[in-house]
């Protein structure tokens, strides 16, 4: 289970996975186009750790950032303190290159840091993790 003691993250994920070879395709796009206040586990996501503890909910509005293809589309999710780790399945990519893109707004982080975005391969393997850590400078 993640420990985000003072971590409050608005995490709108516009996850954009692509296998690059001679073609360019989207494997998963997540705009959180679900009802605000609903659990993401009620919308195609599964909990793989800490199920039901500070469950991740859909929040509105989503984030914006000039030039980002997912800017201003859909909603986002909010995470705070320790709690549920969720994942969403996508088609396995067995060759080529994978790219990901997302928007995140961090309003607080703990000094020890913790991951908030990852590519989950199995219950014991997170192939990629993005960490947020307080710098001590505010």
């Amino acid at each position: 289970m993640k420990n985000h003691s003072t971590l409050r993250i608005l995490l709108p994920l516009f996850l954009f996975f692509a296998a690059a070879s001679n073609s360019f395709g989207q494997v998963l796009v997540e705009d959180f186009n679900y009802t605000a206040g609903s659990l993401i586990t009620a919308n195609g996501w599964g909990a793989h750790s800490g199920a039901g503890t500070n469950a991740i909910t859909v929040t509105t509005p989503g984030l914006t950032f000039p030039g980002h293809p997912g800017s201003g589309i859909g909603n986002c999710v909010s995470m705070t303190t320790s709690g549920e780790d969720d994942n969403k399945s996508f088609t396995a990519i067995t060759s080529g290159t994978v790219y990901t893109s997302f928007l995140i707004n961090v309003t607080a982080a703990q000094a020890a840091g913790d991951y908030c975005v990852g590519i989950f391969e199995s219950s014991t393997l997170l192939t990629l993790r993005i960490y947020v850590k307080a710098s001590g400078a505010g």
Side-chain angles (χ1 to χ4, degrees), residues 1 7 10 25 29 34 39 62 87 94 99-100 102-103 114 122 132 134:
M1 194 174 351
L7 182 63
L10 290 177
V29 175
Y34 314 123
L39 300 177
N87 64 79
T94 58
Y99 298 91
T100 185
F102 57 90
L103 295 173
D114 201 358
S122 71
V132 174

Side-chain angles (χ1 to χ4, degrees), residues 38-47 55-56 84 86:
S38 66
L39 300 177
I40 64 172
T41 53
N43 291 287
W45 288 73
I56 300 174
E84 190 170 87
D86 295 332

Side-chain angles (χ1 to χ4, degrees), residues 3-74:
N3 181 10
H4 295 288
S5 58
T6 60
L7 182 63
R8 177 165 172 9
I9 299 174
L10 290 177
L11 182 64
L13 291 179
F14 166 77
L15 291 178
F16 177 83
F17 295 97
S21 56
N22 291 334
S23 65
F24 183 75
Q26 295 179 354
V27 177
L28 174 67
V29 175
E30 177 57 88
D31 294 323
F32 295 107
N33 283 321
Y34 314 123
T35 304
S38 66
L39 300 177
I40 64 172
T41 53
N43 291 287
W45 288 73
H48 62 266
S49 176
T53 303
N54 295 320
I56 300 174
T57 59
V58 177
T59 307
T60 188
L63 295 183
T64 60
F65 188 81
H68 190 280
S71 181
I73 299 173

